[in-house]
Amino acid sequence: MTYFSESDIENLEHIYKINLINSCSGYKSANLIGTKSVDGIENVAVFSSVTHIGSSPAMLGFFLRPTTVIRNTYENLKSTGFYTINHIHQNITEEAHHTSAKYDASISEFDATQLKSEYKSEFLAPFVKEAPIQLAMQFVEEYNIKANNTILVIGKIVGLYINGDLVEDDGFVNLTKAKVAAINGLDGYVIPETKTRYGYQRPKELKASF
């Protein structure tokens, strides 16, 4: 087994280090976050940090790197209060990944890729038309992570759109059916497959020992 000490990690070559640390945490969600500026310019960017915050109220969070440079997603959602989260699936991984390129705020990634925007129920921010699962989000609050100057953005789900028969009888969203992708590290895309579900677990009744 290969071992890296804290000092080993700190002294690694930059690209090697970010690949190592971004992939050692395991598979992450693969999502496109859609926003629109106050000037009406659409923005869409890939994120691998979307995470469940709570179900009642229904809230999700995602992490942003330091805003020492312009972060269009952050600027747009803070100025308008709305954004969308869209699941990346097998057929759009390459186009979705290209949204990580640093385009000027005046250029929409929808114009730079084959991805298409769409609007639903007069919601301000654009959805990604190709996404099998689309979430309309409203900004709630943010937390500054002092240790590395990142930001945790928390939003509530104000609309949820799910294709076809992905929702099972108990509410479970079967991502396998939609070939939804996950991200390994910074740029490794995989299509997970559901093997089994074990259901809600309760403590076993253990036999008394004497």
Side-chain angles (χ1 to χ4, degrees):
M1 181 174 286
T2 304
Y3 170 71
F4 297 90
S5 67
E6 182 179 2
S7 61
D8 290 336
I9 293 171
E10 287 303 312
N11 291 315
L12 289 172
E13 186 274 328
H14 177 66
I15 298 300
Y16 187 98
K17 177 165 63 176
I18 62 175
N19 280 331
L20 180 71
I21 302 305
N22 273 278
S23 57
C24 74
S25 62
Y27 292 124
K28 298 171 285 188
S29 62
N31 299 109
L32 288 163
I33 293 184
T35 59
K36 179 184 278 190
S37 72
V38 292
D39 296 323
I41 299 172
E42 297 175 334
N43 173 268
V44 63
V46 60
F47 280 83
S48 62
S49 60
V50 174
T51 187
H52 170 85
I53 298 295
S55 299
S56 185
M59 295 193 299
L60 301 177
F62 72 95
F63 289 90
L64 279 160
R65 285 177 285 181
T67 54
T68 50
V69 298
I70 295 297
R71 303 287 180 191
N72 297 327
T73 297
Y74 179 72
E75 298 295 329
N76 292 348
L77 73 85
K78 284 299 298 288
S79 60
T80 67
F82 299 97
Y83 57 103
T84 68
I85 297 176
N86 307 267
H87 284 250
I88 297 171
H89 67 87
Q90 180 174 257
N91 296 339
I92 62 170
T93 54
E94 184 174 359
E95 296 298 309
H97 187 68
H98 186 69
T99 65
S100 63
K102 293 179 174 60
Y103 284 99
D104 185 82
S106 63
I107 298 174
S108 169
E109 290 80 2
F110 284 111
D111 294 331
T113 66
Q114 298 300 312
L115 300 172
K116 297 179 177 62
S117 65
E118 69 173 349
Y119 292 85
K120 297 184 176 185
S121 302
E122 299 183 355
F123 192 72
L124 183 142
F127 296 91
V128 177
K129 186 174 183 178
E130 297 85 352
I133 301 167
Q134 305 167 330
L135 300 97
M137 304 294 300
Q138 182 175 355
F139 173 76
V140 174
E141 57 186 329
E142 65 180 52
Y143 292 90
N144 294 311
I145 311 300
K146 295 179 181 178
N148 63 355
N149 294 318
T150 54
I151 299 172
L152 170 59
V153 175
I154 296 177
K156 65 178 178 179
I157 301 173
V158 295
L160 175 58
Y161 302 90
I162 303 176
N163 278 0
D165 61 349
L166 301 183
V167 183
E168 299 190 352
D169 291 342
D170 63 351
F172 176 76
V173 181
N174 193 327
L175 303 182
T176 295
K177 289 182 179 179
K179 303 295 183 184
V180 167
I183 295 179
N184 179 197
L186 292 170
D187 54 13
Y189 288 80
V190 296
I191 310 301
E193 182 177 336
T194 301
K195 291 295 185 181
T196 189
R197 293 179 63 199
Y198 292 107
Y200 185 83
Q201 298 295 294
R202 292 179 172 81
K204 294 180 180 179
E205 186 174 331
L206 304 178
K207 295 180 179 179
S209 58
F210 299 95

